[in-house]
Amino acid sequence: MALIHLIYVSTAFREPGTDDLDRILESAIRRNTALNVTGMLLYADGSFMQVLEGEAAAVDEVFARVENDARHTGIFLIERAPIDERSFDTWSMGFKRLAAREAAAHPAYAPFFERGFDAARIGAHPGLAFDMLIDFSRRQRAIPPG
């Protein structure tokens, strides 16, 4: 079966608290595990950036659920492309909450998420979103697949 990855940015309808983020992550893990979808979720200042990877039908199903989720607005698809192998294959869903201090510590990325993720600016630089997700995945909260 052909694998794809899909990367998107969205804005939270309202600023989520820690409990809200935990519920989002728990739900993502449960649903992604059932569909054999892996990935990474970044959160910064009211915005999300996520990569989903797996078989196209499964990834598209997860993304359709995101698009219909009232907790998200301004969903911006950055990339949907075939991949040879998974980059986040050891996680049902990795998670990293980025603080302003961390943004400042990464000068190459900081301009792209000064006030949440700037989807248009990130999307205008091919490969940038994926590079950010990989880089921040090294310092994240990993949840092993089911």
Side-chain angles (χ1 to χ4, degrees), residues 24-105:
I24 289 168
L25 185 59
E26 289 169 12
S27 176
I29 291 165
R30 187 174 49 256
R31 291 178 172 160
N32 292 357
T33 299
L35 294 169
N36 195 26
V37 170
T38 54
M40 174 74 186
L41 176 66
L42 297 178
Y43 173 78
D45 197 24
S47 294
F48 297 96
M49 181 188 306
Q50 185 172 34
V51 60
L52 301 166
E53 54 187 17
E55 293 184 20
V59 169
D60 290 339
E61 180 178 330
V62 172
F63 186 59
R65 195 171 14 251
V66 168
E67 289 182 303
N68 292 311
D69 188 331
R71 295 174 296 186
H72 294 268
T73 185
I75 297 170
F76 186 94
L77 179 62
I78 291 177
E79 181 176 3
R80 182 186 183 280
I83 56 174
D84 292 328
E85 61 185 13
R86 296 173 191 249
S87 297
F88 302 92
D89 61 332
T90 58
W91 310 309
S92 293
M93 186 52 55
F95 176 73
K96 177 76 177 163
R97 183 178 191 153
L98 300 170
R101 183 181 66 229
E102 287 178 281

